Amino acid sequence: MSAVDRWRWSHPEWTAIGLIGSAWLYLLIKNPSLTTMNMSTSRNPGSVLAPWLVMSVAMMTPAALPTLRHIGLSSRWRRRQLTIGLFVGGQLVIWTLIGTALIVVAPPLREPGLAHVSAALLALAALWERHSLRQRAARSCHLLRPIPLAGREGVRLTASAGVRQALWCTLGCWPVMLALSLGPNLSLPLMMILTGVVSAPLLSRRPRQLRGYTAWTLLLVAVATGVSAG
Amino acid sequence: MRLSAAVPELTRQDIWVLEEAQTWHPVTEAYALAIGELKSRPTQETSSWAYQAAIHAVPPGQHGDNFRDQCQHGSWFFLPWHRMYLYYMERLARAVIAGRSDVSDEVKESWALPYWNYGRGGKYASLPPAFREPVHNGAPNPLFVRERNPVINRGGRVPNQAASWTTARLKQIFAVVATPGQSAGFGGPVTGWNHNPSEAYGALEQTPHNDVHGYVGGQGGFMSAFDTAPLDPAFWLHHCNLDRLWSVWLSLPGRLDPTQAAWLDMQFYFHDETGQPAVSQPRQVVDTRALGYVYATPPVHAAIAAVVAPTAEQLVAAGIEPIEGAPPADSFPPGPPPPHPPEPVGASDGPFELAGAATRVSFALQEPQSPPVTATAEVQQRAYLSVDGISGSQNPGISYGVYLNLPTGAAEQSNDAYVGNLSFFGIERVGDTNQDHGSHGLRHVFNASQVMARQREAGTWRDNELTVTFAPIHLLTESGETQQQADVATVTIGSVSLFRQ
């Protein structure tokens, strides 16, 4: 067997990695200047939801990769991708609900005069990063109950595990999510930095030591966003 | 481990060898005096008994820092971190002993932490009387704690099945990358910094480490929980023994410590005996002689080093159970596990409980589906039993032997069915999101390959169904009789599954 095959056997989450890569590629293609991506209020809300979901997959799914690998390797061979798909699907349900709510609530807030709201939210995210509730939410994202190998119960518990993780991730990352959705100008580099901030504690070997760095990163981004907003 | 040419200064000795030579041996006496003084120090002092315990873990709901709440479990850092922990405690105790006017110069010069070799069995699986007398010299005995299993305090013995490191000794590899269904190596799975265990335990941590904690602590005792375990003076002797077994394992053919920088260079923070912060890395502690100590060497170790087959008596004296009918130094199947991951072929339908009685769980098995497993010859295939999602409000104070396809009414401890012990040290941390790397449940993974092979040979293995029996292992009284524990705390098992590789 080839080295690629052996890698895929040990990493069933390769499909999710592909999905994340596709999402970033979409964002790059939609934004060839790599500077801004306007979520203008004048667009059809339905067409805003699609980019929101793509952005959610690109930014939030990386943090779930260890969990996706675990549930994939804990599944029957022929159900691995189904299991991973159910989990990601559960997450997407939450991202869709959040995106829909923001589309309804956010437009009146997306005024040029309130461009500093995004910066303020990022500064709040820096403070939130050090809060014990944020840390508990990040740890709760990791927690996973054993899932049956097959049957309706397996399907239900897998999807609900994805829902559960997305909810905890939302609790942990709500200031960042609000900042991105309310800000008039979204830059791809900013999104990449924030993806790193969101994912790092869950992928790090030493999350406790990392939290100081992620908080400072958010603060610097907040300052830069505020300055660029004028 | 390759021993350096440095001359060791200290020799850690078997506590029972000391106590049989002289009751309340001067080494034991000095240990008690040191603990008494550490207990009297204010909690916030880094040299206090309470602070030393907090280094291991703080109570659930509280937060540690870079120095406290640091113990490594379910990780390849388990052994080196505890070696560092012992090292700094020994230095602290020696500093206290050096200042005592009621300790001889000879003891001050040579004092080292003793170890408890419970694997010798018999009375040696009990704590020496010096640890069980509430009063010594007219004052409370610092070595005695009421927060122990009362049977242990009355001279009860850790059962042989729980005290034995036979399964761990057979492991040929120190660490394996954590993968669902894959049993970890001797020392633990490859992880990052890992306080609350979320992956399978290393073999030595699984048994006898976790088992002895449970039996000595009982339900609610100091030794049974992460944050209180070091408050029992027996903790340090227990971990010295595990530290010693690490050295013994390395003396066996083909055993090596990890060489990855990720293991060697991980930093852990302690305070030395003067209160100064100190940074330690596993690369600094792989050689006990570099730390200034060795363990009193039973003759069997010299025999192993000289590549002379030890006698059964020598093995027993060194705490190594002779294994009949199996290669003494190989695991089964021989060699490292293959690179592809194990595949689950069956699992229990849902959660179930263990409450002190034998429990049997049966579930259907399917044929493997993955190309690498189906391409592996059946005689070369490995089997692993994974017990996941283990939770409960407290350590039940006993372990359960785990058996595959044990006929109803058959004698337990059958080598043709036994795969290992299920123990529960750390169970109170399950679901604790105040700590990093928590889990929804503990996980134990057992190598069932040899049992599967033996049962295939005997015609008792079934490819379409598996029955797993969990049988409680009860404590022994001072006279060696089984002491059945009443009101065993219930633990919940999320699932039990079989993996093939």
Side-chain angles (χ1 to χ4, degrees), chain B residues 109-198:
Chain B
E109 181 73 24
S110 64
W111 189 89
L113 277 169
Y115 64 92
W116 177 24
N117 189 359
Y118 33 73
R120 294 171 70 186
K123 73 172 184 179
Y124 305 110
S126 65
L127 281 172
F131 287 76
R132 298 187 274 112
E133 297 166 1
V135 176
H136 177 59
N137 290 342
N141 176 8
L143 300 183
F144 172 83
V145 294
R146 294 199 184 282
E147 294 81 356
R148 263 187 210 136
N149 192 319
V151 177
I152 289 288
N153 269 344
R154 292 195 297 268
R157 305 173 184 179
V158 178
N160 292 344
Q161 193 173 346
S164 168
W165 75 300
T166 299
T167 301
R169 181 171 67 87
L170 291 177
K171 295 288 185 181
Q172 293 183 312
I173 298 171
F174 188 98
V176 178
V177 174
T179 304
Q182 179 87 62
S183 66
F186 172 81
V190 176
T191 66
W193 187 96
N194 212 60
H195 180 55
N196 285 347
S198 53

Side-chain angles (χ1 to χ4, degrees), chain B residues 1-64:
Chain B
M1 179 178 72
R2 300 296 172 255
L3 300 182
S4 71
V7 176
E9 293 183 27
L10 305 175
T11 301
R12 293 181 179 175
Q13 304 184 68
D14 185 328
I15 188 66
W16 269 106
V17 169
L18 295 173
E19 288 298 298
E20 282 187 320
Q22 179 182 344
T23 303
W24 279 100
H25 190 278
V27 170
T28 312
E29 189 79 52
Y31 184 44
L33 291 170
I35 290 174
E37 187 164 324
L38 295 178
K39 283 184 176 178
S40 69
R41 294 181 179 179
T43 305
Q44 62 272 21
E45 278 191 25
T46 60
S47 62
S48 71
W49 190 242
Y51 188 93
Q52 290 296 309
I55 293 171
H56 194 258
V58 297
Q62 293 186 18
H63 300 280

Side-chain angles (χ1 to χ4, degrees), chain A residues 67 139-145 164, chain B residues 431-433 437-440:
Chain A
T67 302
R139 293 173 189 131
S140 297
C141 286
H142 268 307
L143 304 189
L144 188 68
R145 292 188 176 92
R164 185 183 169 281
Chain B
D432 181 6
T433 52
H437 300 290
S439 65
H440 255 312

Side-chain angles (χ1 to χ4, degrees), chain A residues 9-10 70 73-78 136 139-140 143-146 149 164 205-209 211, chain B residues 65 70 180 193 262 266-267 341 343-345 366-367 369-371 433-436 438-440 443 495:
Chain A
W9 295 334
S10 294
H70 179 89
L73 290 175
S74 302
S75 302
R76 291 285 286 150
W77 176 262
R78 292 182 187 140
R136 291 185 63 181
R139 293 173 189 131
S140 297
L143 304 189
L144 188 68
R145 292 188 176 92
L149 292 182
R164 185 183 169 281
R205 297 171 61 223
R206 204 143 194 178
R208 186 182 293 180
Q209 288 187 329
R211 287 188 192 106
Chain B
D65 52 33
Q70 295 290 310
W193 187 96
M266 176 61 97
Q267 294 184 336
E343 176 191 348
V345 294
Q366 289 87 37
E367 287 297 315
Q369 297 171 338
S370 65
T433 52
N434 288 295
Q435 310 291 340
D436 286 324
S439 65
H440 255 312
R443 175 184 303 149
S495 77

Side-chain angles (χ1 to χ4, degrees), chain B residues 454-470:
Chain B
R454 285 179 173 167
Q455 290 187 2
R456 280 191 191 283
E457 202 174 310
T460 55
W461 180 265
R462 297 161 295 173
D463 282 320
N464 61 349
E465 189 184 20
L466 182 70
T467 298
V468 184
T469 303
F470 299 88

Side-chain angles (χ1 to χ4, degrees), chain B residues 188-355:
Chain B
V190 176
T191 66
W193 187 96
N194 212 60
H195 180 55
N196 285 347
S198 53
E199 304 290 346
Y201 293 97
L204 190 70
E205 183 177 6
Q206 191 162 311
T207 298
H209 168 262
N210 289 351
D211 300 69
V212 170
H213 267 285
Y215 284 104
V216 174
Q219 293 188 146
F222 281 167
M223 279 278 279
S224 296
F226 270 21
D227 59 306
T228 55
L231 293 174
D232 189 332
F235 171 92
W236 304 94
L237 275 61
H238 170 39
H239 272 276
C240 272
N241 191 49
L242 298 167
D243 187 69
R244 179 185 69 88
L245 293 176
W246 180 14
S247 298
V248 175
W249 182 81
L250 282 169
S251 69
L252 299 173
R255 270 58 166 183
L256 292 170
D257 280 332
T259 56
Q260 297 95 315
W263 186 78
L264 290 168
D265 296 334
M266 176 61 97
Q267 294 184 336
F268 297 102
Y269 306 98
F270 294 86
H271 290 95
D272 67 17
E273 67 276 18
T274 67
Q276 289 302 305
V279 180
S280 288
Q281 298 172 296
R283 67 166 61 249
Q284 298 169 324
V285 303
V286 292
D287 183 350
T288 66
R289 291 189 174 187
L291 296 176
Y293 71 90
V294 293
Y295 287 95
T297 305
V300 67
H301 298 160
I304 289 171
V307 198
V308 172
T311 65
E313 289 74 19
Q314 287 177 318
L315 286 172
V316 169
I320 301 173
E321 280 186 29
I323 302 170
E324 298 197 10
D330 287 336
S331 61
F332 186 89
H340 58 264
E343 176 191 348
V345 294
S348 54
D349 290 334
F352 57 95
E353 292 182 343
L354 301 177

